[in-house]
Amino acid sequence: MAADYLVDDPLLQRLAPELDPLTTPYWTGGADGRLLISRCPACGTYTHPPVAHCPACLSHGVTAVPVSGRGTVLTYTVNYQQWIPGQEPFVIAIVGLEEQQDVRISTVLVGVAPHEARVGLPVEVRFVHRNDVYYPVFVRREDGGTAR
């Protein structure tokens, strides 16, 4: 039985990311339904992709911490190219996270038809699980983007 934070993958194939000490939390945090993003303990700046040193204050010790998983579609494109026969069009988006809008994740929107995609769409994270990797994807927010 799939957990409620796992969804079916709209893509028929995915390349596995290379896991290293910096990226592993991002790619495996979905096992617990958590989106883990690097954050500086000294100044509180979030960074993505993960880095070893804070770009804001140059502090060491940047660590992965859970975030809300909520965000907003900043831009998107619809992929119509069938890279694999039978592949349906899907929406690729850049999502700005609620915690810090300049922390942006390139992702796929799941359950959002190409004609429903729009800039400003409130979304939240779900995960696609393949081969011990939990790919963050985003779905339309149930609450329509209002505060919880």
Side-chain angles (χ1 to χ4, degrees), residues 65-120:
V65 298
V67 294
S68 68
R70 292 186 300 266
T72 305
V73 172
L74 301 176
T75 190
Y76 70 93
T77 189
V78 177
N79 183 83
Y80 290 98
Q81 173 65 47
Q82 287 190 1
W83 302 104
I84 299 167
Q87 184 177 40
E88 294 293 322
F90 60 94
V91 181
I92 301 167
I94 303 294
V95 170
L97 294 182
E98 184 175 87
E99 285 78 3
Q100 186 177 307
Q101 278 287 304
D102 67 348
V103 173
R104 297 171 179 172
I105 296 177
S106 298
T107 188
V108 173
L109 298 185
V110 175
V112 177
H115 70 277
E116 297 172 324
R118 64 178 171 79
V119 170

Side-chain angles (χ1 to χ4, degrees), residues 3-140:
D4 64 351
Y5 55 85
L6 298 175
V7 294
D8 290 330
D9 197 351
L11 303 181
L12 301 176
Q13 291 185 352
R14 284 183 183 261
L15 293 176
E18 186 170 328
L19 301 180
D20 62 37
L22 285 176
T23 63
T24 295
Y26 177 78
W27 294 114
T28 61
D32 299 322
R34 302 180 314 159
L35 180 60
L36 300 177
I37 299 293
S38 295
R39 187 172 191 206
C40 176
C43 72
T45 299
Y46 291 93
T47 58
H48 183 76
V51 293
H53 303 92
C54 177
C57 72
L58 304 180
S59 174
H60 296 277
V62 173
T63 58
V65 298
V67 294
S68 68
R70 292 186 300 266
T72 305
V73 172
L74 301 176
T75 190
Y76 70 93
T77 189
V78 177
N79 183 83
Y80 290 98
Q81 173 65 47
Q82 287 190 1
W83 302 104
I84 299 167
Q87 184 177 40
E88 294 293 322
F90 60 94
V91 181
I92 301 167
I94 303 294
V95 170
L97 294 182
E98 184 175 87
E99 285 78 3
Q100 186 177 307
Q101 278 287 304
D102 67 348
V103 173
R104 297 171 179 172
I105 296 177
S106 298
T107 188
V108 173
L109 298 185
V110 175
V112 177
H115 70 277
E116 297 172 324
R118 64 178 171 79
V119 170
L121 182 69
V123 292
E124 61 189 357
V125 75
R126 294 293 185 273
F127 297 92
V128 169
H129 180 214
R130 283 197 187 161
N131 302 318
D132 297 324
V133 173
Y134 292 80
Y135 298 89
V137 296
F138 284 77
V139 299
R140 180 189 337 265

